Amino acid sequence: MKSTVKRYWKAIAAAAGLLGVLFGEVALKSAHDAKPPLTWEAIGFIAVFGVIGMIFVLGIQVISKNFKGAYWGWMFFALNAVYMTSTGVSAAAISLTRGEFGPASGLFIAFGGGTGIGLFFMKSSCLKNGR
Protein backbone atom coordinates (compact mmCIF):
# COMPACT_ATOMS: atom_id res chain seq x y z
CA MET A 1 0.00 0.00 0.00
CA LYS A 2 2.87 2.36 0.74
CA SER A 3 4.13 2.09 -2.84
CA THR A 4 0.62 2.69 -4.23
CA VAL A 5 0.33 5.92 -2.27
CA LYS A 6 3.79 7.00 -3.42
CA ARG A 7 2.91 6.17 -7.02
CA TYR A 8 -0.21 8.34 -6.96
CA TRP A 9 1.04 10.97 -4.48
CA LYS A 10 1.20 13.83 -7.00
CA ALA A 11 -2.31 13.11 -8.28
CA ILE A 12 -3.69 12.87 -4.75
CA ALA A 13 -1.98 16.13 -3.75
CA ALA A 14 -3.26 17.84 -6.91
CA ALA A 15 -6.80 16.68 -6.12
CA ALA A 16 -6.48 18.04 -2.58
CA GLY A 17 -5.27 21.35 -3.98
CA LEU A 18 -8.13 21.51 -6.48
CA LEU A 19 -10.68 20.80 -3.76
CA GLY A 20 -9.13 23.54 -1.67
CA VAL A 21 -9.51 26.04 -4.50
CA LEU A 22 -13.13 25.00 -5.02
CA PHE A 23 -13.99 25.44 -1.33
CA GLY A 24 -12.28 28.84 -0.93
CA GLU A 25 -15.50 30.83 -0.82
CA VAL A 26 -17.09 28.54 1.76
CA ALA A 27 -13.94 28.75 3.91
CA LEU A 28 -13.91 32.53 3.62
CA LYS A 29 -17.52 32.73 4.79
CA SER A 30 -16.85 30.47 7.77
CA ALA A 31 -13.81 32.55 8.75
CA HIS A 32 -15.82 35.78 8.48
CA ASP A 33 -18.50 34.30 10.76
CA ALA A 34 -15.98 33.49 13.53
CA LYS A 35 -16.94 34.71 17.00
CA PRO A 36 -15.09 36.67 18.29
CA PRO A 37 -13.88 38.18 15.03
CA LEU A 38 -10.37 37.24 13.94
CA THR A 39 -7.44 39.62 14.36
CA TRP A 40 -4.06 39.69 12.63
CA GLU A 41 -2.43 38.69 15.93
CA ALA A 42 -4.58 35.56 16.03
CA ILE A 43 -3.54 34.68 12.47
CA GLY A 44 0.14 34.89 13.45
CA PHE A 45 -0.53 32.79 16.55
CA ILE A 46 -2.24 30.12 14.41
CA ALA A 47 0.68 29.98 11.96
CA VAL A 48 3.33 29.72 14.70
CA PHE A 49 1.48 27.02 16.58
CA GLY A 50 0.87 25.13 13.32
CA VAL A 51 4.63 24.73 13.08
CA ILE A 52 4.97 23.77 16.75
CA GLY A 53 2.02 21.37 16.50
CA MET A 54 3.51 19.42 13.59
CA ILE A 55 6.87 19.12 15.29
CA PHE A 56 5.17 17.94 18.49
CA VAL A 57 2.76 15.43 16.92
CA LEU A 58 5.26 13.82 14.57
CA GLY A 59 8.08 14.18 17.07
CA ILE A 60 6.22 11.94 19.51
CA GLN A 61 6.06 9.26 16.82
CA VAL A 62 9.78 9.56 16.08
CA ILE A 63 10.77 9.55 19.77
CA SER A 64 8.68 6.42 20.35
CA LYS A 65 10.37 4.87 17.27
CA ASN A 66 7.02 4.50 15.49
CA PHE A 67 8.41 5.45 12.09
CA LYS A 68 5.45 3.95 10.25
CA GLY A 69 3.11 6.19 12.25
CA ALA A 70 5.38 9.16 11.58
CA TYR A 71 5.36 8.38 7.85
CA TRP A 72 1.57 8.09 7.60
CA GLY A 73 1.11 11.11 9.85
CA TRP A 74 3.41 13.12 7.61
CA MET A 75 1.46 12.00 4.52
CA PHE A 76 -1.90 12.92 6.08
CA PHE A 77 -0.74 16.30 7.33
CA ALA A 78 0.97 17.06 4.01
CA LEU A 79 -2.34 16.58 2.18
CA ASN A 80 -4.02 18.71 4.83
CA ALA A 81 -1.41 21.46 4.32
CA VAL A 82 -1.92 21.41 0.55
CA TYR A 83 -5.70 21.59 0.97
CA MET A 84 -5.62 24.36 3.58
CA THR A 85 -3.07 26.46 1.70
CA SER A 86 -4.96 26.23 -1.59
CA THR A 87 -8.20 27.04 0.23
CA GLY A 88 -6.48 30.05 1.79
CA VAL A 89 -5.10 31.30 -1.51
CA SER A 90 -8.55 30.96 -3.07
CA ALA A 91 -10.22 32.73 -0.13
CA ALA A 92 -7.63 35.53 -0.21
CA ALA A 93 -8.10 35.99 -3.97
CA ILE A 94 -11.89 36.12 -3.57
CA SER A 95 -11.68 38.66 -0.74
CA LEU A 96 -9.20 40.81 -2.72
CA THR A 97 -11.53 40.92 -5.72
CA ARG A 98 -14.38 42.00 -3.42
CA GLY A 99 -12.25 44.59 -1.63
CA GLU A 100 -12.78 42.85 1.73
CA PHE A 101 -9.27 41.63 2.55
CA GLY A 102 -8.81 41.16 6.29
CA PRO A 103 -7.69 38.64 8.90
CA ALA A 104 -10.35 36.11 7.88
CA SER A 105 -8.82 36.08 4.39
CA GLY A 106 -5.49 34.84 5.74
CA LEU A 107 -6.79 32.24 8.19
CA PHE A 108 -6.47 29.18 5.98
CA ILE A 109 -3.13 30.31 4.58
CA ALA A 110 -1.93 30.44 8.20
CA PHE A 111 -3.28 26.95 8.87
CA GLY A 112 -1.73 25.42 5.77
CA GLY A 113 1.48 27.41 5.86
CA GLY A 114 2.18 26.66 9.51
CA THR A 115 1.49 22.99 8.99
CA GLY A 116 3.64 22.88 5.86
CA ILE A 117 6.61 24.59 7.53
CA GLY A 118 6.38 22.20 10.49
CA LEU A 119 6.30 19.25 8.10
CA PHE A 120 9.31 20.60 6.24
CA PHE A 121 11.30 20.85 9.49
CA MET A 122 10.33 17.29 10.46
CA LYS A 123 11.12 15.87 7.02
CA SER A 124 14.50 17.57 6.85
CA SER A 125 15.54 16.71 10.41
CA CYS A 126 14.22 13.31 11.44
CA LEU A 127 12.24 11.62 8.69
CA LYS A 128 15.10 11.05 6.27
CA ASN A 129 15.91 7.83 4.43
CA GLY A 130 12.69 5.96 5.22
CA ARG A 131 12.78 6.84 8.91
Side-chain angles (χ1 to χ4, degrees):
M1 180 150 163
K2 190 173 181 179
S3 62
T4 304
V5 172
K6 278 187 173 182
R7 184 177 314 138
Y8 297 111
W9 174 249
K10 289 180 182 177
I12 294 168
L18 179 63
L19 283 174
V21 169
L22 294 175
F23 285 104
E25 189 167 2
V26 175
L28 182 61
K29 183 179 177 346
S30 68
H32 275 296
D33 293 341
K35 301 289 183 223
L38 293 167
T39 62
W40 286 111
E41 292 82 16
I43 301 302
F45 185 80
I46 289 167
V48 167
F49 278 91
V51 174
I52 293 169
M54 286 303 93
I55 292 170
F56 178 76
V57 169
L58 295 177
I60 289 173
Q61 299 303 316
V62 171
I63 289 170
S64 66
K65 303 214 184 301
N66 182 5
F67 297 115
K68 185 176 181 181
Y71 172 81
W72 286 108
W74 193 93
M75 295 292 275
F76 171 78
F77 286 120
L79 286 177
N80 185 20
V82 168
Y83 174 78
M84 288 293 182
T85 304
S86 62
T87 299
V89 169
S90 176
I94 290 168
S95 67
L96 279 172
T97 60
R98 294 179 181 168
E100 303 173 349
F101 191 78
S105 307
L107 176 66
F108 290 93
I109 293 175
F111 279 142
T115 302
I117 292 168
L119 290 172
F120 173 76
F121 286 144
M122 287 302 295
K123 185 76 169 182
S124 63
S125 63
C126 17
L127 297 176
K128 293 180 185 175
N129 301 325
R131 286 185 39 187

